[in-house]
Protein backbone atom coordinates (compact mmCIF):
# COMPACT_ATOMS: atom_id res chain seq x y z
CA UNK A 1 0.00 0.00 0.00
CA UNK A 2 1.22 3.49 -0.83
CA UNK A 3 -0.15 6.94 -0.01
CA UNK A 4 -2.20 8.41 -2.87
CA UNK A 5 -1.80 11.90 -4.32
CA UNK A 6 -5.31 12.82 -3.14
CA UNK A 7 -4.62 11.75 0.46
CA UNK A 8 -6.09 8.26 0.26
CA UNK A 9 -4.26 4.96 -0.18
CA UNK A 10 -3.42 2.92 -3.28
CA UNK A 11 -3.47 -0.82 -2.58
CA UNK A 12 -1.19 -2.27 -5.25
CA UNK A 13 -2.35 -5.80 -4.40
CA UNK A 14 -5.83 -4.86 -5.65
CA UNK A 15 -4.37 -4.81 -9.19
CA UNK A 16 -3.47 -8.51 -9.11
CA UNK A 17 -4.57 -10.08 -12.38
CA UNK A 18 -3.56 -7.03 -14.44
CA UNK A 19 -0.17 -5.84 -15.60
CA UNK A 20 1.12 -2.80 -13.72
CA UNK A 21 3.20 0.05 -15.13
CA UNK A 22 4.90 2.08 -12.40
CA UNK A 23 6.34 5.40 -13.56
CA UNK A 24 8.30 8.07 -11.71
CA UNK A 25 6.85 11.35 -12.95
CA UNK A 26 7.62 15.09 -12.82
CA UNK A 27 5.67 18.17 -13.88
CA UNK A 28 8.53 20.32 -15.19
CA UNK A 29 10.51 17.80 -17.24
CA UNK A 30 11.18 17.52 -20.96
CA UNK A 31 9.39 14.15 -20.73
CA UNK A 32 6.31 15.60 -18.95
CA UNK A 33 4.22 15.42 -22.18
CA UNK A 34 4.40 11.63 -21.73
CA UNK A 35 1.51 12.07 -19.26
CA UNK A 36 -0.75 12.32 -22.36
CA UNK A 37 0.53 9.02 -23.76
CA UNK A 38 0.39 7.37 -20.34
CA UNK A 39 -3.30 8.34 -20.17
CA UNK A 40 -3.83 7.03 -23.72
CA UNK A 41 -2.09 3.74 -22.82
CA UNK A 42 -4.23 3.47 -19.68
CA UNK A 43 -7.46 4.09 -21.62
CA UNK A 44 -6.49 1.70 -24.43
CA UNK A 45 -5.47 -1.23 -22.21
CA UNK A 46 -7.46 -0.59 -19.01
CA UNK A 47 -8.92 -4.12 -19.16
CA UNK A 48 -5.43 -5.59 -18.63
CA UNK A 49 -3.17 -2.76 -17.40
CA UNK A 50 -3.04 -0.33 -14.49
CA UNK A 51 -0.64 2.61 -14.50
CA UNK A 52 0.46 4.23 -11.26
CA UNK A 53 2.40 7.48 -11.39
CA UNK A 54 4.84 8.37 -8.61
CA UNK A 55 5.82 12.05 -8.64
CA UNK A 56 9.43 12.52 -7.57
CA UNK A 57 11.67 15.57 -7.23
CA UNK A 58 14.93 13.62 -7.50
CA UNK A 59 16.12 14.85 -10.91
CA UNK A 60 16.73 18.50 -11.72
CA UNK A 61 14.20 19.70 -9.10
CA UNK A 62 11.57 19.09 -11.78
CA UNK A 63 8.75 18.19 -9.35
CA UNK A 64 8.74 21.04 -6.83
CA UNK A 65 4.95 21.07 -6.29
CA UNK A 66 2.87 19.82 -3.39
CA UNK A 67 0.67 16.75 -3.80
CA UNK A 68 -2.39 18.93 -4.41
CA UNK A 69 -0.53 21.11 -6.97
CA UNK A 70 0.67 17.98 -8.80
CA UNK A 71 -2.85 16.51 -8.84
CA UNK A 72 -4.30 19.74 -10.26
CA UNK A 73 -1.51 19.99 -12.89
CA UNK A 74 -2.00 16.40 -14.09
CA UNK A 75 -5.78 16.69 -14.32
CA UNK A 76 -5.86 20.15 -15.94
CA UNK A 77 -3.04 19.69 -18.46
CA UNK A 78 -3.25 15.99 -19.32
CA UNK A 79 -6.63 14.72 -18.08
CA UNK A 80 -4.88 12.06 -15.99
CA UNK A 81 -7.32 9.48 -14.61
CA UNK A 82 -4.88 6.69 -13.71
CA UNK A 83 -3.88 6.40 -10.04
CA UNK A 84 -1.21 8.79 -8.81
CA UNK A 85 0.73 8.17 -5.62
CA UNK A 86 1.91 10.84 -3.24
CA UNK A 87 5.32 12.36 -3.97
CA UNK A 88 8.21 10.01 -3.14
CA UNK A 89 11.96 9.64 -3.49
CA UNK A 90 12.89 7.10 -6.17
CA UNK A 91 16.65 7.23 -5.56
CA UNK A 92 19.00 8.20 -2.75
CA UNK A 93 19.02 7.81 1.02
CA UNK A 94 15.26 8.31 1.37
CA UNK A 95 14.25 6.00 -1.50
CA UNK A 96 10.75 4.63 -1.04
CA UNK A 97 10.59 0.91 -0.17
CA UNK A 98 8.73 0.23 -3.43
CA UNK A 99 11.42 1.82 -5.60
CA UNK A 100 14.17 0.13 -3.58
CA UNK A 101 12.45 -3.19 -4.33
CA UNK A 102 11.92 -2.35 -8.03
CA UNK A 103 15.56 -1.31 -8.41
CA UNK A 104 16.75 -4.55 -6.80
CA UNK A 105 14.43 -6.60 -9.04
CA UNK A 106 15.65 -4.70 -12.11
CA UNK A 107 19.28 -5.49 -11.19
CA UNK A 108 18.27 -9.15 -10.77
CA UNK A 109 16.95 -9.29 -14.36
CA UNK A 110 20.09 -7.66 -15.73
CA UNK A 111 19.28 -3.94 -15.79
CA UNK A 112 22.46 -1.98 -15.08
CA UNK A 113 22.70 0.52 -12.24
CA UNK A 114 21.63 3.18 -11.92
CA UNK A 115 18.27 1.72 -12.93
CA UNK A 116 16.49 5.07 -12.60
CA UNK A 117 18.52 7.67 -14.45
CA UNK A 118 15.80 10.33 -14.85
CA UNK A 119 12.08 11.08 -14.63
CA UNK A 120 9.60 8.85 -16.49
CA UNK A 121 11.46 5.57 -16.01
CA UNK A 122 8.84 2.83 -16.44
CA UNK A 123 8.65 -0.51 -14.61
CA UNK A 124 6.33 -3.14 -16.10
CA UNK A 125 5.14 -5.87 -13.76
CA UNK A 126 3.15 -8.97 -14.70
CA UNK A 127 -0.26 -9.98 -13.33
CA UNK A 128 1.38 -11.37 -10.16
CA UNK A 129 3.65 -8.40 -9.45
CA UNK A 130 6.83 -9.84 -10.98
CA UNK A 131 9.02 -7.33 -12.82
CA UNK A 132 9.06 -8.06 -16.57
CA UNK A 133 10.90 -5.05 -18.01
CA UNK A 134 12.25 -1.57 -17.33
CA UNK A 135 12.02 1.20 -19.91
CA UNK A 136 14.14 4.37 -19.79
CA UNK A 137 12.62 7.85 -20.02
CA UNK A 138 12.97 8.11 -23.79
CA UNK A 139 10.74 5.07 -24.42
CA UNK A 140 7.29 6.54 -24.99
CA UNK A 141 4.28 4.88 -23.34
CA UNK A 142 2.55 3.93 -26.62
CA UNK A 143 5.73 2.54 -28.20
CA UNK A 144 5.91 -1.03 -29.50
CA UNK A 145 8.57 -1.71 -26.85
CA UNK A 146 5.82 -1.44 -24.22
CA UNK A 147 2.63 -2.37 -26.10
CA UNK A 148 4.06 -5.71 -27.29
CA UNK A 149 3.61 -6.91 -23.69
CA UNK A 150 -0.08 -5.92 -23.79
CA UNK A 151 -1.26 -7.28 -27.16
Amino acid sequence: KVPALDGGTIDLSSFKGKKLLIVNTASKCGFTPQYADLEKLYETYKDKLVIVGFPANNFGSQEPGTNSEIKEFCKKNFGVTFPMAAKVDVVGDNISPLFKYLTEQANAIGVESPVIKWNFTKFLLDENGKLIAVFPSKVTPMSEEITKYLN
Side-chain angles (χ1 to χ4, degrees):
K1 293 182 181 172
V2 296
L5 197 57
D6 61 10
T9 300
I10 300 171
D11 183 356
L12 297 175
S13 69
S14 70
F15 305 136
K16 190 174 172 67
K18 290 187 177 186
K19 287 190 172 71
L20 181 60
L21 190 69
I22 293 177
V23 187
N24 66 307
T25 63
S27 300
K28 299 183 183 308
C29 177
F31 294 107
T32 300
Q34 285 190 17
Y35 269 127
D37 265 357
L38 286 168
E39 182 62 25
K40 184 176 177 189
L41 185 71
Y42 181 62
E43 289 297 327
T44 303
Y45 295 99
K46 66 171 21 172
D47 58 324
K48 54 184 150 190
L49 173 74
V50 176
I51 296 171
V52 182
F54 284 83
N57 196 35
N58 297 117
F59 302 102
S61 298
Q62 294 180 345
E63 189 53 276
T66 63
N67 286 333
S68 59
E69 289 168 341
I70 296 164
K71 181 180 181 208
E72 177 64 24
F73 173 86
C74 291
K75 191 159 206 62
K76 186 174 84 180
N77 295 292
F78 298 101
V80 168
T81 62
F82 56 83
M84 291 285 294
K87 198 163 151 180
V88 297
D89 280 331
V90 299
V91 295
D93 293 343
N94 297 317
I95 187 171
S96 82
L98 176 62
F99 280 89
K100 182 174 181 0
Y101 171 78
L102 291 171
T103 299
E104 289 166 354
Q105 293 303 302
N107 289 150
I109 63 169
V111 179
E112 290 181 18
S113 289
V115 174
I116 304 172
K117 296 177 181 72
W118 202 253
N119 304 308
F120 290 88
T121 299
K122 299 154 200 79
F123 294 85
L124 182 64
L125 291 81
D126 72 11
E127 293 79 359
N128 296 306
K130 182 180 187 315
L131 184 65
I132 305 171
V134 180
F135 307 97
S137 310
K138 68 182 186 335
V139 174
T140 59
M142 292 299 294
S143 72
E144 169 69 15
E145 287 176 71
I146 293 176
T147 60
K148 71 179 182 186
Y149 290 98
L150 304 170
N151 292 321

